[in-house]
Amino acid sequence: MEKIEGKANARVTFKDLFDEYHRLKTTKPFFSLESHEDLCAQIAVKYPLVKQAYEELGTDKVQALKYHVGNIKRELMKRQPAPTEYKIVKMINTTFQKQTPIAKSKVKAELQRIYDDLGIKQRAKAADLNK
């Protein structure tokens, strides 16, 4: 908490933030000048992904994903009640850098991984990006 409150540009890992958020949510304050809910709210405002992951995925799932932010975002996207095409486009946007050439083999591999994550029984082709 000292890192987030002290400096605006301080680097804090997602794992540390998530573990602190979990600790604040699960323990009762013994003696503190600030309530645990206020501290949780501070984390949630500055890092909304922490709160969303805690509420939607839970601690066990986040630990199983090894606190990897990309994997957590993918898992959250899979759980959204949106059309499959929308999910594919959102995952592609987070996977590939914009305005840079990408090898066709890498595109196919990443697209296949997205299909597998979403449970789509289809073989990925580079031509699928046109869709």
Side-chain angles (χ1 to χ4, degrees):
M1 286 309 298
E2 293 83 24
K3 285 184 182 179
I4 352 179
E5 292 170 349
K7 299 178 186 171
N9 60 352
R11 291 186 50 98
V12 184
T13 64
F14 181 84
K15 180 184 185 316
D16 291 341
L17 284 169
F18 189 85
D19 288 343
E20 180 67 10
Y21 191 86
H22 173 69
R23 185 187 68 77
L24 291 170
K25 284 288 196 181
T26 56
T27 60
K28 299 288 180 214
F30 178 65
F31 175 76
S32 176
L33 297 175
E34 294 185 65
S35 76
H36 282 207
E37 289 303 317
D38 291 343
L39 296 172
C40 286
Q42 285 179 353
I43 293 173
V45 167
K46 197 160 184 179
Y47 304 97
L49 182 63
V50 173
K51 179 182 178 188
Q52 186 181 12
Y54 182 80
E55 291 176 353
E56 294 183 30
L57 300 178
T59 308
D60 294 337
K61 184 67 175 175
V62 172
Q63 288 172 345
L65 294 170
K66 298 180 180 164
Y67 301 96
H68 189 274
V69 174
N71 291 340
I72 290 168
K73 286 180 178 179
R74 276 180 182 264
E75 189 64 33
L76 289 169
M77 177 57 68
K78 285 193 305 191
R79 293 171 183 236
Q80 279 188 352
T84 305
E85 294 82 13
Y86 175 78
K87 292 178 185 179
I88 292 170
V89 169
K90 290 294 278 184
M91 287 179 153
I92 287 172
N93 282 336
T94 59
T95 303
F96 297 117
Q97 281 188 322
K98 313 300 182 277
Q99 305 298 321
T100 52
I102 304 166
K104 187 166 61 169
S105 60
K106 183 177 179 187
V107 170
K108 287 171 39 175
E110 288 297 324
L111 194 55
Q112 187 62 53
R113 196 176 96 175
I114 290 170
Y115 284 176
D116 293 343
D117 284 350
L118 293 173
I120 298 172
K121 305 279 188 233
Q122 181 179 342
R123 191 159 170 80
K125 300 179 286 249
D128 290 346
L129 288 178
N130 291 335
K131 296 178 186 175

